[in-house]
Amino acid sequence: MTSFASPLWRKLQVYQVYGANTNVGKTVITTLLCKVAPRAGFLKPVSTGPSSEADDRHVKQFSPGTVTQCLYQFEEPVSPHIAATAHASQAPGDAEIVSSIHNILTRWAKDEAMSHAFVETAGGVHSPGPSGTSQADLYRPLRLPVVLVADFRLGGISSTIAAYESLLVRGYDVESVLVFEDAYYRNSDYLMDYFAARDIPLLALQRPPERLRRESLGNSSSDDAFQRDQQAMARYYEAVSRPSSGLGGLLSDLSVRHERRIGELETMASTAHKSIWYPFTQHNGLKPESLTVIDSARGDHFQVFQQPAVKADSSSSSVLGPVYDGSASWWTQGLGHGNPELALGAAYAAGRYGHVMFALGAHKPAIELAGLVLQHTANERLVRVFYSDNGSTAMEVAVKMALRASCQRYRWNAGTDEVEILGLKGSYHGDTIGTMDCSEPSTFNQKVEWYRGRGYWFDFPQVKMVRGSWTVVFPDQLAHAAHGNERESFSSLADIFNIEHREHSGFGRLYAYFIQQTLENLVKKQGRKFGALILEPLVLGAGGMLFVDPLFQHMLIKTVRQNPELIEPSLPIPGPSSSKSWTGLPIIFDEVFTGLYRFYHFSPSTFFPQASRPDIVANAKLLTGGLLPLSMTLASEDIFDAFSSSPAKEQALLHGHSYTAHPVGCHVARMSVTKMMEMERDGAWDQFKESWVDAGPGVATVDAAPRVTVWSIWPQNLLTALSNAASVESVWALGTVLSIVLCDHDSPGEPNFLPACPDSSFLSSRG
């Protein structure tokens, strides 16, 4: 959907009028509001029924000073989704309706005389629009403050509260409630207390006169009945719009709320600057105006506070503006902000469970999520799930698992022996003390007092598109070993992923030799001990969006697994008890960033042959669709056995959090993962594959029999064009990720990576 500024102006107050049900008097109440407002606009986006009875005509008749407009009128007196079927070629889509509303409101905001605008919906909160989308979702991109018209009839208390909760769970602000009085049901009495407890004013109004029944008029004509009805309504509007009705006070209260909302937006940055300690931020020199004040989020965009460019334009300039969430909120958003299905799922689980202690407990969300993820990892090794709350702790758990298993097998004393890890340069595995030690010194860790950097990190060949050609660029050590060859070129990205074919090439053997010689030097000559191999499969995220040659990672895993004597040469090492057992070292895949359809595969491990798939996997980020913090560490049975072989409690994995396996998070995660699986199954992303099927650079052809499907949401012709730009050193794309490396013209030959975190070179699209 097209992005636009959420309709919030300093002078013009805009409200969306929702009804708790049909026939609750929305149009009558909106007409009254228009009459009381100094100058108002009435907008009916979609109307059904004869145009002679249309709501905008009613408002124009009884509030003559009101500017009225109806966008889409269908003559059939039925629900819009049914009426639209008779005019399928002319029926508007959701984006068209929302965009049209926004355009009209923007025009009205420039009218200095107009003070209020009311956008009236059709039917109840969930009555469908022309496309069948519930109105609550159709109009959500606008997120207009709501005036809710309650139901005064039998059952109206329930329908009103249900309507309110439906709006609430979608992120609407209900600013006031109006209802007609009824001396028998007295719904207004109950609802007054209900909404007062939620700081929402409710105003009860006199009911309008009933329409005359034709049989009661005797010989009077229907025209006469119509005229008498019109006169009765005119008298009603005059009476109820008087100051004594309380409508003027209601508008005043709405004005106070409107000004308070803008005032809060204006002061949030300075308030936050005084009290918040921000992540990944140097506060020295930080000013309040550097902070982004976010009012709401929807889809791929934030709505953020913005000061007018010119003070004189402040009344007609929107207080809010759209900002594209380029890093997908630190790569967590897979289904977009404000997803109503996930919000409802979270509300259900919160209502059913809240949070329950997970030690020696079991609940359905945790069991179902574990089963779903284990079933679809396509890795027969993984059989156990340990829950934690974020990517750092998921990796902390993974490291604990691996080191225990290695120390047991190799009879190392972790209390006296320095046990390290193997990894790649530029890797990043989290902010906890343990995971920081798993990465080489960098901006993220080198000033942390307990940081020790316990490991060895291989420099590695990188995949890039350079001047329209897919290339694997070697680091200096490998280039030297390759007799000065600095790179290898490929006709397609798919060819780079044809790992089993490339393994037997000269470069495959070169990688294996280089890795083996490095390990022999580290272990046999330097006497170092390594307890795990940790890899971010394919892409190092926070380290700079570095695309690793998948063949290098495969050869690294294979060399470690097939040569346990490279890890501990002093002991006879028994062979694996099964194909699911770890050998050499436990292999950890940090899939916090790369996992769960980041590259349109459930797991990035499926880009590798089965023999190179990990023993331990950490997942987070996309797990819950960006709605809640939750993470999982998946492990093999023999990793699990390293902690269960002894009955002593101290031999167990003594790790946990108060919110371990949070039921709300687990429930939402199952929904999120299932939704992405359904999108894959139903071909939701097939349109993006088209540009990767034609001949040319980056093709996913079958000529070289690639084992996996390789494509990106970013078209390959875009990559080719970008890679040929004078300011670009290289680009690459895979799945949802696009990375651009700029040339630094002040330092010839030195590439300039766009900042990785938090302002990433990564751009995400949900497809």
Side-chain angles (χ1 to χ4, degrees), residues 736-757:
T736 63
V737 185
L738 169 67
S739 179
I740 305 171
V741 181
L742 303 179
C743 294
D744 187 346
H745 293 295
D746 294 330
S747 302
E750 291 295 324
N752 176 24
F753 286 90
L754 296 179
C757 185

Side-chain angles (χ1 to χ4, degrees), residues 388-398 429 432 435 631 633 655 657:
S388 51
D389 60 343
N390 60 63
S392 294
T393 51
M395 281 301 299
E396 188 87 8
V397 170
H429 303 293
T432 55
T435 57
S631 62
T633 305
H655 193 106
H657 302 273

Side-chain angles (χ1 to χ4, degrees), residues 507-519:
F507 287 105
R509 293 190 293 272
L510 171 66
Y511 289 172
Y513 176 79
F514 171 75
I515 294 165
Q516 183 166 341
Q517 292 298 306
T518 301
L519 289 175

Side-chain angles (χ1 to χ4, degrees), residues 695-706:
V699 179
T701 66
V702 296
D703 295 340

Side-chain angles (χ1 to χ4, degrees), residues 62 213 298 450 511 513 576 596 689:
F62 294 106
R213 295 178 179 272
R298 179 74 173 182
W450 274 12
Y511 289 172
Y513 176 79
L596 300 174
K689 299 179 183 179

Side-chain angles (χ1 to χ4, degrees), residues 241-260:
S241 61
R242 292 170 185 161
S244 58
S245 69
L247 280 168
L250 176 72
L251 286 184
S252 296
D253 185 80
L254 287 175
S255 294
V256 169
R257 288 170 172 262
H258 175 78
E259 292 170 4
R260 184 169 64 205

Side-chain angles (χ1 to χ4, degrees), residues 207-369:
R207 285 178 62 178
E210 296 284 347
R211 287 188 177 185
L212 293 174
R213 295 178 179 272
R214 197 176 284 181
E215 58 269 21
S216 69
L217 298 175
N219 295 326
S220 298
S221 67
S222 59
D223 287 343
D224 182 45
F226 175 78
Q227 290 300 323
R228 291 169 65 179
D229 279 337
Q230 296 296 295
Q231 292 167 5
M233 285 302 300
R235 290 192 296 271
Y236 169 81
Y237 280 125
E238 287 303 316
V240 179
S241 61
R242 292 170 185 161
S244 58
S245 69
L247 280 168
L250 176 72
L251 286 184
S252 296
D253 185 80
L254 287 175
S255 294
V256 169
R257 288 170 172 262
H258 175 78
E259 292 170 4
R260 184 169 64 205
R261 180 186 177 191
I262 294 176
E264 288 174 348
L265 289 169
E266 290 176 324
T267 59
M268 279 173 66
S270 59
T271 302
H273 184 261
K274 295 174 183 177
S275 59
I276 303 297
W277 193 335
Y278 283 97
F280 296 110
T281 301
Q282 174 51 263
H283 281 250
N284 190 331
L286 181 69
K287 297 180 180 180
E289 51 266 31
S290 300
L291 303 179
T292 300
V293 175
I294 300 172
D295 179 70
S296 65
R298 179 74 173 182
D300 295 341
H301 291 81
F302 302 128
Q303 289 291 333
V304 306
F305 174 69
Q306 54 183 14
Q307 293 282 6
V310 181
K311 195 167 185 179
D313 296 336
S314 62
S315 63
S316 61
S317 298
S318 178
V319 172
L320 300 174
V323 171
Y324 181 69
D325 183 8
S327 70
S329 284
W330 280 350
W331 319 312
T332 62
Q333 293 292 327
L335 300 175
H337 294 281
N339 185 289
E341 294 180 44
L342 298 188
L344 285 168
Y348 165 77
R352 179 174 177 178
Y353 297 100
H355 175 59
V356 294
M357 182 177 69
F358 198 61
L360 296 180
H363 54 71
K364 187 176 180 180
I367 295 169
E368 288 189 341
L369 176 60

Side-chain angles (χ1 to χ4, degrees), residues 321-568:
V323 171
Y324 181 69
D325 183 8
S327 70
S329 284
W330 280 350
W331 319 312
T332 62
Q333 293 292 327
L335 300 175
H337 294 281
N339 185 289
E341 294 180 44
L342 298 188
L344 285 168
Y348 165 77
R352 179 174 177 178
Y353 297 100
H355 175 59
V356 294
M357 182 177 69
F358 198 61
L360 296 180
H363 54 71
K364 187 176 180 180
I367 295 169
E368 288 189 341
L369 176 60
L372 180 70
V373 173
L374 288 172
Q375 180 184 355
H376 290 88
T377 55
N379 184 345
E380 60 181 6
R381 297 171 183 268
L382 303 177
V383 296
R384 298 277 182 171
V385 169
F386 190 97
Y387 285 107
S388 51
D389 60 343
N390 60 63
S392 294
T393 51
M395 281 301 299
E396 188 87 8
V397 170
V399 173
K400 284 185 176 181
M401 290 176 174
L403 295 183
R404 173 68 61 83
S406 294
C407 287
Q408 277 192 6
R409 177 168 297 180
Y410 296 127
R411 305 174 193 173
W412 295 332
N413 185 335
T416 58
D417 294 324
E418 180 70 18
V419 182
E420 304 175 83
I421 63 93
L422 292 172
L424 299 182
K425 285 182 176 294
S427 59
Y428 171 85
H429 303 293
D431 303 320
T432 55
I433 293 293
T435 57
M436 280 195 295
D437 274 0
C438 294
S439 297
E440 65 177 337
S442 70
T443 302
F444 297 115
N445 55 35
Q446 60 188 355
K447 291 296 183 180
V448 177
E449 284 70 17
W450 274 12
Y451 171 72
R452 295 295 179 267
R454 307 163 193 253
Y456 177 82
W457 298 275
F458 286 89
D459 207 350
F460 55 88
Q462 295 184 40
V463 177
K464 304 178 179 184
M465 178 182 276
V466 181
R467 301 294 177 259
S469 175
W470 283 105
T471 305
V472 172
V473 181
F474 303 132
D476 291 342
Q477 286 179 300
L478 271 173
H480 178 75
H483 306 293
N485 290 329
E486 296 180 348
R487 60 189 63 202
E488 182 183 10
S489 297
F490 294 83
S491 61
S492 72
L493 181 58
D495 288 344
I496 293 175
F497 276 92
N498 193 359
I499 295 173
E500 291 172 316
H501 173 77
R502 292 181 60 209
E503 180 180 348
H504 304 291
S505 68
F507 287 105
R509 293 190 293 272
L510 171 66
Y511 289 172
Y513 176 79
F514 171 75
I515 294 165
Q516 183 166 341
Q517 292 298 306
T518 301
L519 289 175
E520 286 183 350
N521 177 61
L522 292 169
V523 175
K524 293 182 179 179
K525 294 183 179 180
Q526 299 182 31
R528 298 170 71 173
K529 293 180 172 63
F530 298 98
L533 171 60
I534 305 178
L535 298 174
E536 294 172 78
L538 301 181
V539 174
L540 277 61
M545 292 296 163
L546 309 178
F547 189 173
V548 188
D549 182 358
L551 176 62
F552 184 82
Q553 290 190 325
H554 167 69
M555 298 308 298
L556 182 53
I557 296 168
K558 183 175 181 178
T559 302
V560 166
R561 277 188 168 155
Q562 292 186 352
N563 301 278
E565 70 280 358
L566 291 176
I567 306 303
E568 178 48 85

